[in-house]
């Protein structure tokens, strides 16, 4: 059994709720969610019982990537409100006993950030090296095809390099061309970021979610060179990831950030690093408390299991893959480090449409998925609307999409003949980030109660049926199931502290595992299909007298012979029993 660390941090049994402010609640009728809108809905979050709110970026931004392109780290974007609105919100969150974590986007800034405006102004500007500037490739004129300093593609289509006519050099942007990458090799960049982080902590925020933080260290040669990536069959660009995913100085940079910003503060803050491509072995290093880097990471393995070579090649999930992946992460971080647990966020399609059934079994599958996730060891994250079982957008036309990644992918694929419009739209319907970005469905009034104006992105028409107001009244709703799961984490120490044992690794329908702590054992079951499925766990008779702590389909009909009743479609159950303690000596 795993022992708790000598000093257990407050977040060990916490649940975090992500607010994507643009789509959460609009207070002033301009169609865009804002800080006063968030403040107006805190009752909902308090009722749900979450401990922490993670606020996606609200800083000043040209909104090329919905705020992940920041032009002033110390100002609130006018579309979201003012610093005063922010302080009022923060005080209210604290008064309700919750905490607030900010998004920290420092792999890149906006091209409209004064640092970049200065940097691009001339080759000898003091801030020139704050970003990655490189001349055209030897022997090719700037602007000619192939002149880019490396062959890397950007995550948002096209090359990762943009020619700047003023100085005739290229700058690096792993995301949009309005998101130039900061050069973390430069000590002044790091100092400026640390100072800005301290400024927010001094204002009272409780931590940071760090955007693509494992991309900040680039593998740069002593002569300043960056290396071309491999171009796989059918790809338009080289894969630059080996040059910047968990680069050579990443641990040094995060340790330094911890020392300069986090260490020695009177209140324990929460840091979570978003880390695409991170492995279990990396994550152990990043989250080992002795190393003082971050508290936990967002890994991406489980949300890539239904992807082919690219994220747009979607195929159905094999449950055994999900178990193998989660099982490895649970085992890897069992004694050192810590997991974060998530299905949804603003970059992922809605889980009930993805791994569940958003038709006939929407509520059952949404609650089963929640149960399985929340009973793992780690810190669960709930993304706005997930607690209502909100579904994918099911958009039909390209003009309904707003997300830069989706819109650019469609245009580039069409331009290069990589797919027919119908197939591309099908891919977007399955994986576009806009699936998660339709407005939160508060009630059955116009625009789901999100805005009195015209929403910046269409509201899902199913809001008349799926909405918070209806679910709060209904004890059997997805909302109340999430509420109970969160309560369980707060009241049953085995949920946060217990060890984890995966069962039935080869079963392609039933997800089953055990949690154990201090004389208490839980058996968690989830049926990932629309059929009735038997539960063949070892020693099933031990569970004959166990208490059914939480189910999503009412009490099952008992079966004779000490067997566990079969699971109905998408059913989940949590059983609890006391286990005899072995006394040493
Ligand atoms: C990850 C964020 O979650 C995503 O929304 C954003 O587009 C990229 N990082 C770039 O900041």
């Amino acid at each position: 059994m795993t022992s708790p660390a000598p000093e257990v941090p407050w977040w060990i049994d916490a649940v975090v709720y992500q607010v994507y402010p643009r789509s959460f609640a609009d207070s002033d009728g301009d169609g865009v969610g804002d800080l006063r809108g968030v403040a107006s809905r805190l009752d909902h979050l308090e009722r749900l019982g979450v401990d922490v709110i993670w606020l996606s970026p609200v800083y000043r931004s040209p909104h090329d990537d919905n705020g992940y392109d920041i032009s002033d780290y110390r100002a609130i974007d006018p579309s979201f409100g003012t610093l005063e609105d922010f302080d009022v919100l923060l005080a209210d969150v604290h008064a309700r006993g919750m905490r607030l974590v900010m998004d920290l986007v420092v792999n890149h800034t906006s091209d409209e950030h004064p640092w970049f405006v200065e940097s691009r102004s001339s080759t000898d500007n003091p801030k020139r090296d704050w970003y990655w500037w490189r001349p055209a490739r030897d022997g090719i004129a700037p602007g000619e095809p192939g002149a880019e300093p490396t062959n890397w593609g950007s995550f948002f289509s096209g090359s990762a390099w943009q020619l700047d006519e003023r100085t005739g050099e290229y700058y690096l942007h792993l995301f949009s061309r309005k998101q130039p990458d900061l050069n973390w090799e430069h000590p002044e960049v790091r100092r400026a970021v640390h100072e800005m982080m301290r400024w927010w902590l001094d204002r009272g925020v409780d931590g940071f979610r760090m955007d693509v933080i494992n991309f900040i260290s680039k593998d740069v040669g002593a002569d300043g060179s960056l290396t071309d990536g491999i171009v796989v069959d059918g790809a338009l660009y080289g894969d630059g990831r080996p040059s910047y995913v968990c680069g050579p100085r990443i641990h040094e940079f995060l340790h330094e950030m911890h020392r300069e910003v986090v260490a020695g503060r009177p209140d324990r803050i929460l840091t979570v690093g978003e880390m695409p491509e991170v492995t279990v072995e990396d994550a152990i290093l990043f989250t080992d408390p002795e190393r003082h880097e971050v508290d936990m990471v967002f890994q991406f393995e489980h949300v890539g299991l239904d992807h082919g070579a690219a994220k747009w090649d979607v195929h159905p999930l094999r449950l055994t893959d999900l178990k193998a992946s989660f099982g490895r992460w649970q085992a890897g971080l069992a004694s050192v480090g810590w997991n974060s647990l998530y299905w949804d966020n603003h970059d992922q399609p809605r889980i009930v449409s993805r791994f569940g059934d958003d038709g006939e079994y929407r509520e059952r599958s949404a609650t089963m998925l929640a149960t399985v996730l929340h009973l793992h060891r780690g810190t669960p994250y709930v993304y706005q609307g997930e607690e209502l079982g909100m579904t994918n957008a099911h958009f039909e036309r390209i003009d309904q999409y707003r997300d830069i990644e989706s819109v650019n992918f469609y245009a580039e694929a069409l331009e290069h003949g990589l797919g027919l419009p119908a197939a591309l739209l099908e891919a977007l319907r399955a994986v576009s980030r806009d699936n998660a970005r339709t407005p939160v469905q508060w009630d059955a009034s116009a625009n789901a109660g999100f805005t009195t104006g015209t929403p910046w992105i269409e509201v899902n028409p199913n809001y008349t049926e799926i909405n918070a107001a209806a679910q709060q009244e209904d004890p059997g709703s997805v909302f109340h199931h999430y509420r109970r799961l969160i309560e369980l984490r707060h009241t049953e120490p085995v949920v946060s502290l217990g060890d984890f044992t995966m069962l039935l690794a080869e079963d392609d329908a039933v997800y089953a595992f055990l949690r154990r702590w201090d004389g208490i054992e839980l058996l968690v079951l989830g049926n990932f299909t629309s059929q009735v499925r038997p539960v063949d766990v070892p020693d099933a008779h031990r569970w004959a007298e166990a208490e059914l702590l939480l189910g999503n389909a009412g009490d099952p009909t008992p079966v004779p012979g000490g067997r566990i009743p079969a699971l109905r479609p998408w059913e989940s159950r949590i059983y609890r029993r006391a286990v005899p303690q072995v006394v040493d000596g």
Side-chain angles (χ1 to χ4, degrees):
M1 246 177 242
T2 324
S3 308
E7 188 208 329
V8 177
W10 60 261
W11 43 257
I12 213 88
D13 66 351
V15 176
V16 184
Y17 185 95
Q18 182 190 354
V19 168
Y20 191 67
R22 240 186 133 66
S23 304
F24 192 70
D26 173 23
S27 72
D28 59 6
D30 66 356
V32 175
D34 48 41
L35 290 173
R36 289 183 182 207
V38 179
S40 74
R41 296 291 181 179
L42 289 182
D43 283 352
H44 175 82
L45 302 188
E46 208 180 342
R47 217 167 291 152
L48 188 58
V50 294
D51 306 275
V52 183
I53 297 171
W54 148 28
L55 202 55
S56 275
V58 288
Y59 313 95
R60 190 182 289 276
S61 164
H63 287 284
D64 196 45
D65 184 20
N66 290 358
Y68 282 89
D69 48 318
I70 297 168
S71 54
D72 186 344
Y73 287 109
R74 300 182 198 209
I76 300 294
D77 192 80
S79 63
F80 294 132
T82 62
L83 262 180
E84 203 191 342
D85 294 334
F86 178 84
D87 289 339
V88 169
L89 172 67
L90 182 61
D92 199 356
V93 168
H94 285 164
R96 292 167 188 258
M98 294 186 279
R99 291 175 157 94
L100 189 89
V101 161
M102 297 296 272
D103 221 304
L104 179 80
V105 188
V106 289
N107 172 68
H108 43 268
T109 66
S110 161
D111 66 337
E112 296 182 32
H113 193 291
W115 296 344
F116 188 75
V117 173
E118 270 196 56
S119 181
R120 84 186 323 174
S121 64
S122 71
T123 53
D124 57 4
N125 183 276
K127 290 210 167 47
R128 185 65 169 181
D129 290 339
W130 281 41
Y131 294 84
W132 293 92
W133 290 98
R134 291 291 181 276
R137 205 178 274 264
D138 269 354
I140 311 184
E144 290 297 310
E148 294 81 14
T150 69
N151 64 357
W152 305 349
S154 140
F155 286 99
F156 293 163
S157 304
S159 165
W161 294 94
Q162 176 68 23
L163 177 64
D164 195 42
E165 299 289 350
R166 186 175 328 201
T167 57
E169 289 191 335
Y170 289 82
Y171 65 86
L172 176 68
H173 59 89
L174 296 181
F175 295 90
S176 98
R177 65 181 65 118
K178 287 186 67 62
Q179 293 167 295
D181 279 52
L182 278 166
N183 177 9
W184 276 69
E185 298 295 314
H186 203 310
E188 281 175 23
V189 167
R190 307 205 296 276
R191 267 200 295 276
V193 168
H194 299 158
E195 204 184 306
M196 173 272 284
M197 292 173 76
R198 287 193 295 262
W199 187 83
W200 280 104
L201 290 175
D202 291 345
R203 214 174 183 95
V205 307
D206 303 289
F208 297 100
R209 172 271 185 187
M210 304 174 175
D211 192 68
V212 290
I213 201 70
N214 63 330
F215 290 3
I216 58 177
S217 164
K218 274 71 172 175
D219 192 0
V220 54
D223 59 352
S225 58
L226 297 164
T227 321
D228 277 341
I230 291 170
V231 187
V232 298
D233 268 0
L236 298 172
Y237 295 93
D239 179 3
R241 287 176 298 178
S243 293
Y244 56 77
V245 170
C246 298
R249 300 183 68 188
I250 184 63
H251 292 288
E252 176 196 336
F253 291 162
L254 289 180
H255 183 73
E256 179 188 59
M257 182 188 278
H258 187 282
R259 189 186 70 223
E260 295 298 319
V261 177
V262 178
R265 296 199 81 89
D267 300 316
R268 181 78 163 79
I269 70 157
L270 171 69
T271 55
V272 48
E274 188 209 23
M275 298 199 179
E277 315 278 329
V278 74
T279 64
V280 181
E281 293 69 33
D282 298 324
I284 295 170
L285 296 177
F286 284 122
T287 65
D288 176 353
E290 300 286 310
R291 293 172 54 91
H292 302 297
E293 295 185 17
V294 292
D295 295 321
M296 57 190 104
V297 305
F298 288 135
Q299 55 97 0
F300 283 70
E301 216 176 87
H302 65 296
V303 288
L305 296 174
D306 56 348
H307 295 171
K311 93 174 225 181
W312 311 103
D313 309 324
V314 203
H315 58 71
L317 171 76
R318 271 195 310 266
L319 185 62
T320 47
D321 291 348
L322 183 66
K323 290 191 228 180
S325 173
F326 271 159
R328 241 174 348 89
W329 279 86
Q330 292 284 301
L333 296 176
S335 46
V336 176
W338 191 247
N339 276 292
S340 49
L341 309 168
Y342 73 94
W343 288 133
D344 282 1
N345 62 41
H346 63 293
D347 294 331
Q348 301 293 332
R350 294 280 182 185
I351 197 62
V352 69
S353 303
R354 186 180 196 176
F355 295 167
D357 171 353
D358 67 6
E360 182 183 354
Y361 291 112
R362 185 186 64 83
E363 288 170 296
R364 194 76 87 63
S365 62
T367 49
M368 184 282 291
L369 287 160
T371 303
V372 167
L373 187 81
H374 280 239
L375 267 289
H376 278 72
R377 182 178 161 89
T379 299
Y381 287 71
V382 180
Y383 174 67
Q384 62 186 38
E386 183 186 334
E387 79 281 15
L388 307 175
M390 275 180 62
T391 69
N392 275 354
H394 301 303
F395 287 155
E396 299 286 337
R397 305 182 316 274
I398 190 64
D399 62 70
Q400 293 175 290
Y401 288 91
R402 299 286 174 270
D403 167 33
I404 181 169
E405 182 193 42
S406 305
V407 171
N408 287 0
F409 155 74
Y410 183 82
E412 184 175 75
L414 273 190
E415 184 190 334
H416 294 274
L418 302 179
L420 295 171
L424 299 174
L425 285 173
E426 188 63 40
L428 287 177
R429 254 195 300 281
V431 280
S432 166
R433 308 194 297 180
D434 277 344
N435 283 307
R437 298 177 180 185
T438 61
V440 171
Q441 296 165 201
W442 293 108
D443 56 40
S445 69
N447 295 319
F450 163 71
T451 182
T452 52
T454 306
W456 69 277
I457 187 169
E458 284 176 33
V459 174
N460 193 317
N462 63 20
Y463 73 88
T464 49
E465 181 208 337
I466 305 169
N467 64 66
Q471 294 197 23
Q472 278 169 6
E473 301 301 312
D474 172 7
S477 65
V478 180
F479 174 84
H480 282 287
H481 194 86
Y482 268 85
R483 190 184 55 67
R484 287 188 198 101
L485 287 170
I486 295 165
E487 191 176 72
L488 201 58
R489 182 163 284 266
H490 293 151
T491 53
E492 277 282 358
V494 61
V495 178
S496 51
L497 297 172
D499 64 11
F500 177 98
T501 308
M502 186 70 83
L503 304 175
L504 309 181
E506 303 305 321
D507 191 313
D508 61 6
V510 173
Y511 202 112
F513 55 92
L514 297 174
R515 304 291 313 278
R516 256 192 198 224
W517 174 256
D518 203 18
I520 297 298
E521 188 173 38
L522 303 181
L523 169 65
V524 183
L525 302 171
N527 179 357
F528 272 69
T529 73
S530 303
Q531 289 91 43
V532 174
R533 292 288 179 157
V535 181
D536 296 321
V537 294
D539 300 324
H541 62 274
R542 290 192 297 145
W543 296 95
E545 302 297 316
E547 173 194 1
L548 177 59
L549 210 52
L550 182 61
N552 70 349
D555 285 343
T557 314
V559 286
R563 284 178 298 123
I564 297 175
L567 290 169
R568 288 160 284 181
W570 302 101
E571 181 174 6
S572 61
R573 287 185 218 138
I574 308 171
Y575 289 106
R576 178 186 195 273
R577 67 183 198 112
V579 280
Q581 293 275 56
V582 180
V583 182
D584 287 341

